[in-house]
Amino acid sequence: MTVMTLNDLQIRDKALEPIADKVLAGGRLSFEEGMTLFHTPDFPSLARLANHVREKKVGDKAYYVHSLRLSQTNICYVNCTFCGFQRKFGEEGVWDMDLQDVWDYVDQYYHPDLTEIHISSGHHPKRDWQYYLDLVHGLTTRYPGVQVKAWTAAEIHHFTKITRPRKTYREVLSELKEAGLVAMPGGGAEIFAERVRREVARAKVTAEGWLEVHRTAHELGIPTNATMLYGHIETLEERLDHMMRLRDLQDDTGGFYSFIPLAFQPDNNQLARELNKSEFTTGLDDLRNLAVARIILDNFPHIKGYWIMITPELTQVTLSSGVSDIDGTIKDERIAHASGANTEKGMTEGELLRLIKDAGRTPVLRDALYKELKVYA
Ligand code: V47
């Protein structure tokens, strides 16, 4: 890679110059500098700077995975207001898979190339703890080569509540690891700021609890991701605060692979109704958010563009403004689609490859632990 100078960035917003200087020298940005990134009218320079950070980390590689999304139930009692996925017992559209239902479900999608099964679901009030252990163990033994990346920190918190005597995060995670769990997804983080969390996710794990679950997972050698739900009632300051808290934890543990901003899907949920909102986030908001994340989260290996929520077309563009991972084939996404996502529920490998190659990047097929399985020269 050629060395980039301030001149190459062709900055028009003077306020960006000292920040870019610092980033080019490998320095770390403060909260105030992060806010300048969010507010700059000079988006092209912001994108070039984020691209510089991205290329310094991974060159022109763009990662994807052969994955299946599994939500074994949508029964949930936490009532997050942004969620259109949750159902109560007996409601229309409810599902609740027993273990045999899970095997039958995975059999429909299983292919020898499948690498990752990513599970997230609802907080089910009646399933017992053994069910979850059997689920992970069953998936890993029935489908050799498949890695289970399972349950958000919110669900891990829920699992501690269904055990008697109550297990700790460490006990729950250790038992899941022993059953075969290799990694954890980043959901359930929403926005850490108390003002927003109280409004949109009152009964969910607290911000501190979410961070503690991830800290514990990292200590146990379980790598994880982190998400941030944006585009609803949060401020830009609250988005940045969220990123900074993740950066602090990553400094301590180094256990995060990827940060994934989740654009609010505004249909069929209480929050959208309360806000009388039916618009999706704008493309520029999505791009800016990803670019800021790439620059602020200097200790995260990857920023992920989630095509399910921001469209494949925009995800392709993000590959030039900070993103180095575009998730995967997914096959049957249900959470975003319950809230109006207007994308497909899955993509073929060919489609993912086309997006990446057309963006001028080198596709890298990875596993759930970011091991490179195939680099397309
Ligand atoms: O936990 C729910 C969020 C998450 C809405 O770790 C919503 O690789 C937007 O965590 N609008 C599930 N978001 C998805 C998730 C995820 C996705 C991709 C990759 C990874 C990873 C993780 O979706 C939930 C919740 O935070 N969510 N409803 C909504 N209306």
Side-chain angles (χ1 to χ4, degrees), residues 69 82-85 116 118 120 149 152 184-190 204 225-227 229-230 258 260 262-267 269 304 306 309 327 330 333 335-336 339 366:
R69 199 57 57 84
F82 53 78
C83 180
F85 170 82
E116 174 187 288
H118 167 164
S120 70
K149 167 179 143 198
T152 65
M184 262 178 65
E190 322 316 354
K204 204 168 211 161
N225 291 333
T227 60
L229 174 64
Y230 70 100
S258 172
I260 311 124
L262 301 175
F264 177 53
Q265 307 294 299
D267 196 14
N269 60 60
K304 189 186 280 192
Y306 190 36
M309 290 186 184
D327 205 90
I330 300 175
E333 201 289 327
I335 296 176
S339 285
R366 63 164 175 87

Side-chain angles (χ1 to χ4, degrees), residues 24 72 76 85 125-126 181 234 281 302 313 325 356 365-366:
L24 293 180
Q72 83 281 354
C76 192
F85 170 82
K126 298 214 169 119
L181 182 90
E234 85 293 352
T281 50
H302 297 281
E313 292 79 5
D325 186 305
I356 295 174
L365 174 65
R366 63 164 175 87

Side-chain angles (χ1 to χ4, degrees), residues 118-142:
H118 167 164
I119 318 178
S120 70
S121 58
H123 295 38
H124 191 300
K126 298 214 169 119
R127 285 281 177 203
D128 65 12
W129 172 227
Q130 191 59 41
Y131 166 86
Y132 297 98
L133 295 174
D134 292 344
L135 180 44
V136 172
H137 184 70
L139 288 175
T140 30
T141 47
R142 285 172 167 261

Side-chain angles (χ1 to χ4, degrees), residues 234-304:
E234 85 293 352
T235 62
L236 294 178
E237 284 79 5
E238 286 161 340
R239 288 190 200 178
L240 188 58
D241 166 71
H242 188 96
M243 293 180 195
M244 301 288 248
R245 293 205 216 182
L246 291 170
R247 189 172 79 178
D248 288 347
L249 178 54
Q250 180 74 334
D251 273 347
D252 288 352
T253 65
F256 287 116
Y257 280 138
S258 172
F259 175 67
I260 311 124
L262 301 175
F264 177 53
Q265 307 294 299
D267 196 14
N268 195 32
N269 60 60
Q270 187 190 330
L271 186 57
R273 285 189 292 274
E274 280 170 7
L275 300 173
N276 198 16
K277 190 175 170 72
S278 56
E279 303 101 356
F280 288 86
T281 50
T282 65
L284 206 68
D285 190 14
D286 299 329
L287 289 173
R288 179 187 298 270
N289 201 55
L290 288 159
V292 172
R294 181 58 291 172
I295 299 167
I296 289 293
L297 293 173
D298 51 12
N299 51 7
F300 270 61
H302 297 281
I303 304 296
K304 189 186 280 192

